[in-house]
Amino acid sequence: VVSSGQGAHLTIEGKDYLNFCSSHYLGFAEEPRLKKAAQDAIDLYGLGTGYRTLAGTHSLHLELEDKIARFKGTEAAVTFTSAYAANASAVQTILGKEDIVISDQLNHASIIDAVKVAGVQNKFAYAHSDMGDLETKLAQATEIAKKPKKNGEQPQILIITDGVFSMDGDLAKLPDIVDLAKKYDALTMVDDAHGEGVLGQGGRGVVNHFGLEGEVDIEIGSLSKAFSVTGGFIAAKQPLIDAYLMSARQRLFSIALTIPDTAALVEAVNMLGESEHKVQKLWSNVEYL
């Protein structure tokens, strides 16, 4: 049990420990600017919000979503109270049981659960970062997709991968995945929870790292790791975000991010947009270690 802030050191049972198990990669959990933004917002607006579809959408939410989209280089974004909920929404909202998912074997548990919640019956898991196996699974999926669904539409194929794999720390072979998705007419979804604030220009993530802006259909992000607050988001083209705004159950039937959380997140995105210093410091620490 920790009795200190989530900084470079933790106080546990009265003793001081170096913190090497944190996902607050940039030190934002104790950043004065984020704390002040949260405090100022509380003074102005209070604490709680509400359901986004009733009286729960605050101007701060719209500001945050606009800034996330600009930061990620996408047309739009929508936020959720957790990245777990964002992953669930991303899959469940656009896929049904007759669609097809192809997922890396080492994908995060939230992705595995998202596919289960969506009820997708045609599920493939390809060997970790094995592009030959991915193509084999895509060929099999294409055969399944030749049979129309009961509503007459063609089944949709969705490839899902982590951007940075949280346990091994390796990167998805995203350029190859995008090429295969184009070849087999599949959608792509990347969970970039561990890439934001770490990879790409100013911490813009794994898609930026590979120069693939606009090439990945769905980007999932965490707001509790490098951004050090709480929540998650989906970033994508506007028509897809519109679908999530209207139909994502994890948005419709869950409370919105609180006022101080949202204000602190706005400031975190602002800081990463202003300077690459925090990300450069992170990598200098990596090299030092």
Side-chain angles (χ1 to χ4, degrees):
V1 176
V2 177
S3 58
S4 65
Q6 290 283 331
H9 295 79
L10 298 176
T11 302
I12 301 172
E13 296 182 358
K15 289 183 65 177
D16 189 51
Y17 292 87
L18 266 174
N19 180 9
F20 278 96
C21 62
S22 174
S23 53
H24 297 295
Y25 306 125
L26 303 176
F28 278 166
E30 294 186 327
E31 168 58 45
R33 283 179 57 178
L34 268 67
K35 290 193 285 186
K36 186 177 188 306
Q39 290 161 355
D40 289 348
I42 290 172
D43 290 341
L44 279 172
Y45 307 119
L47 295 164
T49 53
Y51 290 97
R52 290 289 300 265
T53 46
L54 295 174
T57 294
H58 194 274
S59 59
L60 284 170
H61 294 129
L62 300 185
E63 181 182 359
L64 174 61
E65 288 164 347
D66 179 66
K67 287 182 182 295
I68 288 172
R70 291 173 184 271
F71 180 73
K72 296 294 289 184
T74 61
E75 291 181 3
V78 56
T79 54
F80 298 83
T81 50
S82 72
Y84 192 101
N87 268 327
S89 291
V91 180
Q92 180 185 10
T93 306
I94 64 171
L95 295 189
K97 64 180 182 180
E98 296 174 272
D99 292 306
I100 305 162
V101 167
I102 307 176
S103 184
D104 190 291
Q105 283 185 342
L106 295 189
N107 277 345
H108 190 265
S110 61
I111 294 173
I112 296 168
D113 290 353
V115 176
K116 288 180 181 177
V117 169
V120 177
Q121 294 176 350
N122 300 306
K123 297 178 286 188
F124 296 91
Y126 63 93
H128 176 54
S129 285
D130 185 331
M131 296 298 97
D133 193 35
L134 172 57
E135 183 157 21
T136 297
K137 299 297 193 296
L138 279 164
Q140 295 171 4
T142 301
E143 287 300 311
I144 295 173
K146 289 179 179 178
K147 180 183 178 181
K149 297 191 287 187
K150 290 179 180 178
N151 63 6
E153 296 178 356
Q154 292 301 119
Q156 178 64 61
I157 303 171
L158 176 64
I159 304 169
I160 310 178
T161 183
D162 276 9
V164 179
F165 289 87
S166 58
M167 293 296 99
D168 292 48
D170 56 336
L171 306 189
K173 296 177 180 175
L174 208 51
D176 296 330
I177 292 171
V178 168
D179 287 344
L180 287 171
K182 291 177 180 177
K183 180 177 178 180
Y184 288 92
D185 194 25
L187 289 173
T188 49
M189 172 176 154
V190 175
D191 182 347
D192 202 20
H194 297 276
E196 281 130 13
V198 177
L199 296 172
Q201 181 186 5
R204 283 167 173 79
V206 70
V207 174
N208 178 276
H209 171 77
F210 285 114
L212 292 171
E213 290 95 337
E215 300 291 322
V216 173
D217 296 294
I218 303 167
E219 293 184 59
I220 308 300
S222 170
L223 296 170
S224 63
K225 293 181 170 60
F227 292 103
S228 290
V229 187
T230 191
F233 65 84
I234 302 173
K237 288 185 169 62
Q238 187 68 58
L240 195 50
I241 294 299
D242 288 342
Y244 290 126
L245 291 174
M246 293 297 294
S247 304
R249 294 176 68 82
Q250 291 77 5
R251 178 180 182 274
L252 297 176
F253 301 108
S254 184
I255 214 73
L257 288 167
T258 71
I259 291 295
D261 287 335
T262 310
L265 287 165
V266 168
E267 191 64 17
V269 181
N270 284 341
M271 288 184 67
L272 285 182
E274 290 169 6
S275 168
E276 295 190 39
H277 169 72
K278 290 280 188 181
V279 179
Q280 290 169 350
K281 173 64 173 175
L282 170 64
W283 282 101
S284 72
N285 288 345
V286 171
E287 294 301 324
Y288 175 80
L289 180 63

